[in-house]
Amino acid sequence: MSPRTSKPATKQSKDKKPIINYGAEPFLMLCTNIVSKIGIPGFLVISFVSYLFAFTSSNQKTEIVDKWILFKNNNYNQELTILVVIFAIVLYSIEAYAFYRIRKLDQDEIARLSEFKRLYQEQQLGVKLSNSSKPKN
């Protein structure tokens, strides 16, 4: 097999119109891009608001806002509200921990690469290189 030298052709119907994929893959890619830009809590908020705009009537929207955002109803379930708040805090904590781990892995990789570069340069030059001292605070 020879390597591909041109871009792959898109599937086209007989009248030369491109076929658009409406499957789950484009939707999942969109969700992944949104999560990478604004995080899991932001994605959940956008999903919830999109669901409200798409599938609820005007009266239902008003009722949801009054009950869950403005707390106008006196007989709301406080335990459920507390669980929702705890769930949001847990989601934010998971996201913050993931970013911390990624940042730590990046720092470790930078340190590994700098050490490799130093050793390679010493080997090529045949001279021991000295690092500058760390500033004192």
Side-chain angles (χ1 to χ4, degrees):
M1 287 181 54
S2 65
R4 183 177 293 172
T5 58
S6 64
K7 292 183 179 180
T10 57
K11 294 182 181 178
Q12 294 183 350
S13 61
K14 292 179 182 177
D15 53 348
K16 302 292 183 186
K17 293 181 182 176
I19 298 172
I20 299 172
N21 184 5
Y22 287 109
E25 184 178 352
F27 176 72
L28 292 176
M29 291 301 295
L30 173 69
C31 293
T32 304
N33 289 336
I34 291 172
V35 168
S36 69
K37 298 290 183 199
I38 60 173
I40 294 172
F43 174 74
L44 291 177
V45 168
I46 288 176
S47 299
F48 179 70
V49 170
S50 300
Y51 176 80
L52 285 181
F53 279 119
F55 299 110
T56 59
S57 67
S58 177
N59 292 337
Q60 289 173 327
K61 290 175 191 172
T62 305
E63 182 181 334
I64 289 170
V65 169
D66 286 345
K67 184 175 182 181
W68 293 103
I69 297 176
L70 301 176
F71 297 114
K72 284 186 177 179
N73 193 356
N74 288 335
N75 55 3
Y76 67 89
N77 191 349
Q78 292 177 347
E79 292 83 13
L80 182 59
T81 304
I82 291 170
L83 286 176
V84 168
V85 169
I86 290 173
F87 181 71
I89 291 170
V90 166
L91 280 178
Y92 180 75
S93 301
I94 290 170
E95 182 181 18
Y97 178 73
F99 282 129
Y100 165 77
R101 291 288 300 150
I102 290 171
R103 195 168 42 249
K104 177 77 169 113
L105 288 173
D106 285 345
Q107 290 170 351
D108 291 347
E109 183 65 10
I110 290 170
R112 185 191 69 80
L113 288 174
S114 65
E115 180 65 19
F116 172 78
K117 183 178 176 183
R118 183 187 64 80
L119 292 174
Y120 180 76
Q121 288 174 345
E122 285 178 356
Q123 179 186 9
Q124 294 298 317
L125 295 173
V127 177
K128 181 161 176 54
L129 300 175
S130 62
N131 296 332
S132 59
S133 61
K134 294 183 179 180
K136 296 180 181 179
N137 292 333

